[in-house]
Amino acid sequence: MSPATTPVPPEDLTAEISQAPVCVLTFNASDATGAGGLSGDIATMAAMGAHALPVVTTILMRDTSEIFDQTLLDAEAVVEQARTVLEDITIVAWKVGFLGSAETIGAVAEVLSDYPDVPLVTYLPNLSWIDDEDQFQSYHDALRELVLPQTEVLVGNHKTLTDFLLPEWESERAPSVRELAVAAAEHGTRHVLVTGLQPQGKQNNQVDNILASPQGAIAGEKFDRFETSFVGAGDTLSASIAALIATGLDLPTAVAEALAFLDQALDAGFRPGMGQVIPDRFFWALPEEDADAEAGEETPDDRLSDSAPNPRHVH
């Protein structure tokens, strides 16, 4: 019998499985730029040592500047992708990104409900590019009703979460993180991670990111503000949290590690096209100094540093 067909003893198979990376199933859009969506999830989870199981929910037509349109997949096709994988592979966590339509949200929520013990990280992107008001509203209504009750942590920018969780907010004062967490809890969500906050009493050179429950803030990290715009940051952050939870970290630790990872990925970000900067999820895999630097020669980064408008390191 050839080695390729030699049966694996059960005890060896158990050892092999125990050494395999943890698996995280992610429902998200196909993004051909590689900035966000499933492309971003796959790269991020791989960088965190997890194996991504990507389920396509919709296909975005976009470049690195903006989203123009989407081509929806049939909700049954989305479910069939997930159930086929779930019958074969054990997952430890999952992530929900952009699902495309209210109908797909309902179908995905039904799959999620069959695995109530698997922690879910839900990312809420900015969907202002959707021109159809009815489509925009029905999507958010379905997400609030069907996905939030199953969500361990909801991730989003402060403005986006405010519009989603507190659409009737009329005060001149922006809602606090705790108020957002209370609003999310009314739909069944246990925690919120609010990004893009400006710390009180600080100059406009830092951003704060706070994990909170209805009882108040749990953890947070402040970082220097980048003087450039990014695409894919939210997907990177949420995917890394899901991967870190899957590896066994508790939520506050996973959030702290994910925020530090995102900051470094943005710091090493690059601009592949004419639009926004993309996070480099594999910044840690690059050598600190290349051969030219060791030889004392001017490197591309040296030449860029004099002309780059950003005070932080972005390629």
Side-chain angles (χ1 to χ4, degrees):
M1 182 176 291
S2 67
T5 57
T6 302
V8 179
E11 61 273 15
D12 292 345
L13 180 59
T14 301
E16 180 181 331
I17 292 174
S18 66
Q19 295 173 6
V22 291
C23 294
V24 181
L25 191 147
T26 172
F27 295 95
N28 213 341
S30 172
D31 176 357
T33 68
L38 288 176
S39 303
D41 289 347
I42 293 168
T44 301
M45 291 179 187
M48 308 308 289
H51 177 63
L53 305 173
V55 174
V56 184
T57 57
T58 184
I59 302 171
L60 294 180
M61 310 305 166
R62 70 161 305 151
D63 57 19
T64 55
S65 296
E66 60 183 310
I67 298 173
F68 301 98
D69 201 355
Q70 65 170 324
T71 297
L72 291 168
L73 296 186
D74 184 82
E76 291 184 5
V78 176
V79 169
E80 191 64 23
Q81 290 177 76
R83 292 213 180 275
T84 302
V85 171
L86 290 167
E87 290 175 2
D88 177 47
I89 301 174
T90 299
I91 66 169
V92 190
W94 41 24
K95 172 196 163 173
V96 160
F98 180 51
L99 301 182
S101 69
E103 182 182 4
T104 301
I105 289 175
V108 168
E110 187 174 344
V111 176
L112 297 173
S113 67
D114 290 339
Y115 302 83
D117 297 328
V118 178
L120 168 63
V121 177
T122 299
Y123 168 54
L124 181 67
N126 183 345
L127 300 180
S128 59
W129 58 271
I130 298 178
D131 295 327
D132 188 318
E133 181 62 30
D134 291 339
Q135 180 185 358
F136 180 89
Q137 190 61 47
S138 63
Y139 184 92
H140 282 112
D141 289 345
L143 197 68
R144 276 189 290 263
E145 181 181 349
L146 302 174
V147 173
L148 289 198
Q150 305 183 64
T151 297
E152 179 65 26
V153 56
L154 174 65
V155 181
N157 175 271
H158 183 265
K159 175 66 166 59
T160 304
L161 287 178
T162 298
D163 293 342
F164 175 61
L165 294 171
L166 297 169
E168 305 301 325
W169 185 267
E170 296 180 353
S171 173
E172 294 182 1
R173 173 186 63 83
S176 68
V177 172
R178 182 177 179 276
E179 286 169 323
L180 290 173
V182 169
E186 291 176 356
H187 299 285
T189 298
R190 269 73 74 188
H191 304 87
V192 294
L193 174 57
V194 185
T195 66
L197 293 158
Q198 182 175 339
Q200 293 184 354
K202 298 286 185 180
Q203 295 181 348
N204 191 29
N205 62 350
Q206 283 191 318
V207 290
D208 203 356
N209 310 277
I210 299 176
L211 173 70
S213 71
Q215 288 70 46
I218 297 172
E221 297 284 345
K222 296 183 181 70
F223 297 102
D224 291 338
R225 184 183 300 276
F226 288 94
E227 295 183 5
T228 190
S229 56
F230 294 90
V231 58
D235 273 319
T236 301
L237 177 59
S238 50
S240 58
I241 293 171
L244 289 166
I245 290 174
T247 65
L249 295 185
D250 61 81
L251 181 59
T253 305
V255 166
E257 293 284 346
L259 286 168
F261 173 81
L262 175 63
D263 185 61
Q264 295 175 83
L266 296 181
D267 195 24
F270 61 98
R271 183 177 283 107
M274 296 180 289
Q276 301 177 78
V277 175
I278 292 177
D280 184 353
R281 289 97 172 178
F282 290 93
F283 62 87
W284 49 268
L286 300 175
E288 293 184 3
E289 296 182 357
D290 58 20
D292 291 338
E294 291 177 0
E297 299 179 11
E298 185 181 40
T299 67
D301 284 346
D302 293 332
R303 293 190 290 271
L304 284 172
S305 63
D306 294 334
S307 60
N310 191 345
R312 302 189 67 184
H313 176 66
V314 175
H315 296 300

